[in-house]
Amino acid sequence: KNQVEQSPQSLIILEGKNCTLQCNYTVSPFSNLRWYKQDTGRGPVSLTIMTFSENTKSNGRYTATLDADTKQSSLHITASQLSDSASYICVVSAHRGNNRLAFGKGNQVVVIP
Amino acid sequence: NAGVTQTPKFQVLKTGQSMTLQCAQDMNHNSMYWYRQDPGMGLRLIYYSASEGTTDKGEVPNGYNVSRLNKREFSLRLESAAPSQTSVYFCASSELSRAGNSPLHFGNGTRLTVT
């Protein structure tokens, strides 16, 4: 079973509207969680990192939240733009154990004018 | 600012052929990684190198070999390509040796088709 589950798998939103992407994880012990943005035909780029003690963090129009008790994170996109069309990947790191990251399958977002 | 550079960008191979995917980073990062990305699946780790001179298997290493040539370069070799290796391959690097302690910086991928 995948240790990181993202929903919805894909969504279409109108330019200017907001949307929220969800990430649930089972990785333990938790170290941190990153959101990456992957444009079509490009490699993923880090948007933000959430550590155990952080609840909310913003990066421009992107706001990430973390609830370490329920093992859930969300990424909120405010006032979407056409350039927000991309796949958003949730990546979770364990505090110890093998030196590997757990990747979600991504949320595919399409912004239409 | 080149970051992580991968070559080639596209490649078509016949079953049984061999090839090497090249990757170089100019950020003086310690760790380098090779991932594959397939439709409907998350990125999967093939091999990684936590520091110059070391390499370790990831979750899907079969059919691949790697070489950490120096701190900058990390190559991935397919000795005898199979159709199941059709994928998009990403090289990444990170400053710190422990995965997750620093962000991954990805190249733009090599799109490989094996017929």
Side-chain angles (χ1 to χ4, degrees), chain A residues 98-100, chain B residues 34 45-49 54-62 64-66:
Chain A
N98 65 33
N99 194 22
R100 297 181 191 173
Chain B
W34 277 105
L45 182 64
I46 304 171
Y47 272 93
Y48 67 97
S49 170
T54 69
T55 59
D56 287 285
K57 294 179 180 180
E59 61 179 300
V60 289
N62 291 346
Y64 306 96
N65 284 301
V66 290

Side-chain angles (χ1 to χ4, degrees), chain A residues 15-65:
Chain A
E15 187 178 12
K17 298 296 186 183
N18 305 336
C19 71
T20 300
L21 314 176
Q22 300 288 348
C23 174
N24 296 341
Y25 62 91
T26 59
V27 174
S28 180
F30 174 80
S31 177
N32 62 63
L33 181 151
R34 292 182 192 272
W35 284 94
Y36 286 80
K37 179 187 180 192
Q38 184 176 19
D39 292 320
T40 300
R42 312 277 290 190
V45 175
S46 179
L47 284 175
T48 186
I49 177 174
M50 303 297 291
T51 58
F52 189 87
S53 59
E54 295 174 309
N55 296 119
T56 304
K57 184 180 286 185
S58 292
N59 177 4
R61 293 180 297 101
Y62 299 104
T63 299
T65 68

Side-chain angles (χ1 to χ4, degrees), chain B residues 90-106:
Chain B
F90 286 99
C91 177
S93 69
S94 65
E95 181 180 2
L96 301 177
S97 296
R98 175 117 189 118
N101 286 357
S102 54
L104 293 172
H105 295 258
F106 286 87

Side-chain angles (χ1 to χ4, degrees), chain A:
Chain A
K1 188 179 188 308
N2 200 12
Q3 292 184 294
V4 179
E5 298 285 351
Q6 294 186 241
S7 62
Q9 184 176 344
S10 62
L11 74 162
I12 299 172
I13 58 173
L14 288 173
E15 187 178 12
K17 298 296 186 183
N18 305 336
C19 71
T20 300
L21 314 176
Q22 300 288 348
C23 174
N24 296 341
Y25 62 91
T26 59
V27 174
S28 180
F30 174 80
S31 177
N32 62 63
L33 181 151
R34 292 182 192 272
W35 284 94
Y36 286 80
K37 179 187 180 192
Q38 184 176 19
D39 292 320
T40 300
R42 312 277 290 190
V45 175
S46 179
L47 284 175
T48 186
I49 177 174
M50 303 297 291
T51 58
F52 189 87
S53 59
E54 295 174 309
N55 296 119
T56 304
K57 184 180 286 185
S58 292
N59 177 4
R61 293 180 297 101
Y62 299 104
T63 299
T65 68
L66 175 68
D67 185 334
D69 291 331
T70 61
K71 298 187 176 181
Q72 295 180 324
S73 176
S74 66
L75 182 69
H76 186 77
I77 305 175
T78 303
S80 61
Q81 299 177 358
L82 298 179
S83 59
D84 293 329
S85 295
S87 177
Y88 294 84
I89 303 171
C90 177
V91 183
V92 184
S93 172
H95 189 59
R96 57 178 180 269
N98 65 33
N99 194 22
R100 297 181 191 173
L101 304 171
F103 287 80
K105 295 179 182 180
N107 306 99
Q108 185 67 48
V109 174
V110 176
V111 181
I112 58 175

